[in-house]
Amino acid sequence: MAEESSQEKTEEATAHRLKKALDDGQVAKSMELSSVAIVGLGFMAMIALGPFVVDKSKEFMTHTFTMAPTTSLNVGAFVTVFRDSLVSFFLTIGPFMLAMVVIGVLINISQVGVRFTTKPMEPKFDKLDPIAGFKRVFSGKMAVEYLRDIIKVLLVSYLAYIIISHDVMDFFELMDSPTERFASQFGSLALLLALKVAAGLMVLAIFDFAFQRYEHKKKLRMTKQEIKEESKDTDGNPVLKGRIRQAQREMARKRMMQDVPTADVVVTNPTHFAVALKYDKSSMEAPTVVAKGQRLIAQRIKELAREHGVPVIENKPLARSLFKVCEIGSTIPAKLYKAVAEVLAYVYQLKGKDI
């Protein structure tokens, strides 16, 4: 066991190991890629749906303030206004919220496919182990993630500085502008900043996704001993498989021996091979091999044939050819028709039958 535990995991994960990992919810997934994609595509959806949201919001506010003086102050009126406001809110924000949900689902599916499992939600008490937690904090994977976060902060700060410093003078000039223009320009600046930051972070997220895939494959690597053990579990113990094959051969041999008494003739060489043939011209296109064997099995076939009155004919070349080219249950090949026909003609002559 000490030797097994000291083995290095140098072998790629087998198909069985990969499938088990998928069933357990262990997949290569980058949270950075998901977050950046959701933020970037979310802002693009906001740009596309922005005019619709603004128009609907204006309509709602205009309607609300217009009806306010004529609305009576009672519970029924309050419930009606509240209900209408809620419906209007969801009709206004609904398309954007739906777009965000679709984006989130598609990003996750693109990384891991469609997987349904509750294994990741099951409690894992080994995570409470302080020593294991200490090792995770100071592992190579965490070092890469710390470096990634530092680069991310520096990248966001740099992009924000470049964009804001470029438009800072225009921003100050907007202080005296109408509120609508100020809001429009400020919103455009914020969206531009968000999109450029998202584009920069996307590059970082792609590298993170590649790293997560590498770590996932590395985590699933196996030792040579693990592959051997898995092979035993999936393919079965070699000793047990050998016993099963032996039992199957014994059963096939018994069935074969049961067919020997139904044969028309047994061709032998005479000690090494024995082949039992059967021919029924009403149901068979050609003579069929019902049993064959060599050495001890050949001797047993001949004994059964004699016990049941089946003729045993010695023909060394024919017996050797039949044993070599014919399987049990198959018809003889055309090249042996003539030789077998001569043997059957002789047998039928002895029995007084027509061929």
Side-chain angles (χ1 to χ4, degrees):
M1 294 298 291
E3 180 183 354
E4 178 181 342
S5 61
S6 63
Q7 289 186 15
E8 293 184 2
K9 295 187 175 184
T10 57
E11 308 302 312
E12 294 295 327
T14 61
H16 182 267
R17 178 68 173 267
L18 292 173
K19 183 179 182 304
K20 186 176 184 300
L22 284 176
D23 294 339
D24 291 342
Q26 299 179 22
V27 292
K29 180 181 177 182
S30 170
M31 296 302 296
E32 289 296 318
L33 183 60
S34 298
S35 301
V36 172
I38 290 173
V39 171
L41 295 175
F43 274 109
M44 293 177 67
M46 185 181 295
I47 294 174
L49 297 172
F52 170 80
V53 174
V54 171
D55 291 341
K56 287 293 182 182
S57 299
K58 285 181 178 179
E59 291 179 8
F60 170 70
M61 295 179 69
T62 300
H63 174 75
T64 301
F65 288 121
T66 301
M67 298 298 296
T70 60
T71 303
S72 58
L73 299 177
N74 56 63
V75 176
F78 175 78
V79 171
T80 301
V81 171
F82 181 78
R83 181 194 62 204
D84 293 342
S85 300
L86 198 61
V87 171
S88 180
F89 172 79
F90 281 110
L91 289 177
T92 303
I93 304 298
F96 176 74
M97 295 176 64
L98 179 62
M100 293 300 295
V101 171
V102 171
I103 290 171
V105 171
L106 291 180
I107 289 299
N108 283 278
I109 290 177
S110 66
Q111 290 194 69
V112 302
V114 181
R115 307 289 175 195
F116 296 99
T117 178
T118 59
K119 290 291 183 66
M121 295 185 291
E122 294 178 358
K124 295 181 180 180
F125 296 102
D126 56 336
K127 290 187 176 181
L128 300 177
D129 184 359
I131 298 177
F134 183 81
K135 290 180 178 179
R136 283 196 297 270
V137 170
F138 293 95
S139 64
K141 180 179 179 181
M142 291 302 299
V144 172
E145 292 185 357
Y146 292 147
L147 179 62
R148 178 203 63 198
D149 292 340
I150 292 173
I151 294 175
K152 184 167 62 175
V153 171
L154 294 176
L155 179 62
V156 171
S157 301
Y158 174 74
L159 290 175
Y161 171 76
I162 293 297
I163 295 171
I164 294 175
S165 62
H166 181 268
D167 296 326
V168 65
M169 297 309 298
D170 295 336
F171 182 74
F172 282 114
E173 291 178 0
L174 291 174
M175 294 296 184
D176 297 328
S177 301
T179 304
E180 185 174 351
R181 184 186 172 200
F182 178 82
S184 176
Q185 289 294 106
F186 185 80
S188 298
L189 179 63
L191 285 174
L192 179 62
L193 174 62
L195 290 176
K196 289 190 175 182
V197 168
L201 292 180
M202 180 59 73
V203 177
L204 192 63
I206 292 174
F207 280 105
D208 181 68
F209 179 65
F211 174 72
Q212 296 298 335
R213 287 180 63 88
Y214 167 77
E215 281 293 314
H216 180 66
K217 288 184 178 181
K218 182 180 177 181
K219 181 180 178 181
L220 294 180
R221 282 179 186 169
M222 305 170 68
T223 64
K224 293 180 179 179
Q225 183 62 31
E226 286 176 334
I227 291 179
K228 291 180 181 179
E229 294 295 330
E230 182 186 280
S231 179
K232 288 182 180 180
D233 293 338
T234 55
D235 298 335
N237 190 296
V239 176
L240 181 60
K241 289 174 64 179
R243 291 177 180 174
I244 292 175
R245 285 195 295 267
Q246 180 65 24
Q248 291 173 340
R249 286 195 294 267
E250 290 294 333
M251 293 175 63
R253 188 177 302 162
K254 287 180 180 180
R255 288 194 299 268
M256 180 184 71
M257 292 302 182
Q258 291 173 356
D259 292 334
V260 172
T262 67
D264 292 311
V265 64
V266 172
V267 183
T268 181
N269 78 333
T271 56
H272 291 88
F273 303 109
V275 181
L277 301 174
K278 182 177 182 179
Y279 179 58
D280 184 353
K281 60 183 179 181
S282 63
S283 59
M284 297 179 181
E285 295 181 358
T288 301
V289 176
V290 295
K292 72 173 187 177
Q294 57 182 338
R295 299 184 180 87
L296 294 177
I297 297 177
Q299 295 299 324
R300 182 56 182 158
I301 289 174
K302 289 187 289 185
E303 291 174 3
L304 283 173
R306 293 190 179 102
E307 290 175 6
H308 293 84
V310 177
V312 178
I313 305 298
E314 181 180 335
N315 188 323
K316 295 180 181 179
L318 180 58
R320 189 178 297 110
S321 298
L322 288 170
F323 185 87
K324 183 178 180 181
V325 302
C326 296
E327 297 295 333
I328 298 172
S330 65
T331 58
I332 64 172
K335 63 182 181 180
L336 298 178
Y337 279 0
K338 183 178 179 181
V340 172
E342 292 175 355
V343 172
L344 289 176
Y346 175 70
V347 171
Y348 289 164
Q349 184 180 1
L350 292 178
K351 294 182 177 181
K353 296 171 57 178
D354 295 331
I355 190 169

